[in-house]
Amino acid sequence: QVQLVESGGGLVQAGGSLRLSCAASGSISSINTMAWYRQAPGKQRELVAGIVSGYSTNYANSVKGRFTISRDNAKNTVYLQMNSLKPEDTAVYYCFYSELNGENVSWGQGTQVTVSS
């Protein structure tokens, strides 16, 4: 099993920045995908950004150019640098982990990001 613990959420004004961290522990496969999802109250959970073991990334169109996902495999940690934050970015952000064929899915408990205007 893989356990994920997020940190770095908080309250920030529009235009500000935050960096989220997700530390993974347990039986981590060398080939895996980690990602950040977010969910606002009453809304469906959506993919924000994903990164594979080889550092290929993908982003939701709404965050391209503003957010950057990265990972430090030595630390088993994935990051989400969020710049130029907008009120619509307000949500609980969840870290996600899966292996090659979508096996052994794990979710973090979430960290709240609130962007005021």
Side-chain angles (χ1 to χ4, degrees):
Q1 296 182 354
V2 173
Q3 297 181 3
L4 306 173
V5 179
E6 304 103 329
S7 62
L11 175 64
V12 65
Q13 287 189 296
S17 298
L18 287 172
R19 189 173 82 151
L20 306 183
S21 298
C22 174
S25 61
S27 301
I28 301 169
S29 174
S30 61
I31 302 174
N32 64 73
T33 295
M34 297 187 73
W36 290 96
Y37 285 74
R38 67 186 181 187
Q39 187 169 25
K43 302 292 182 64
Q44 297 185 64
R45 190 171 298 186
E46 64 174 346
L47 176 66
V48 177
I51 185 166
V52 299
S53 300
Y55 303 107
S56 294
T57 60
N58 65 285
Y59 296 90
N61 287 335
S62 61
V63 306
K64 286 181 179 178
R66 300 189 298 121
F67 291 10
T68 302
I69 188 170
S70 61
R71 63 189 296 162
D72 184 339
N73 290 335
K75 296 181 178 180
N76 294 320
T77 300
V78 64
Y79 306 94
L80 185 68
Q81 178 66 46
M82 304 184 293
N83 298 327
S84 301
L85 283 161
K86 303 175 180 179
E88 52 262 45
D89 295 319
T90 296
V92 177
Y93 284 70
Y94 296 91
C95 188
F96 169 89
Y97 168 97
S98 68
E99 297 178 356
L100 183 62
N101 296 314
E103 299 170 314
N104 297 321
V105 170
S106 295
W107 290 93
Q109 295 189 36
T111 184
Q112 177 71 48
V113 172
T114 302
V115 183
S116 63
S117 181

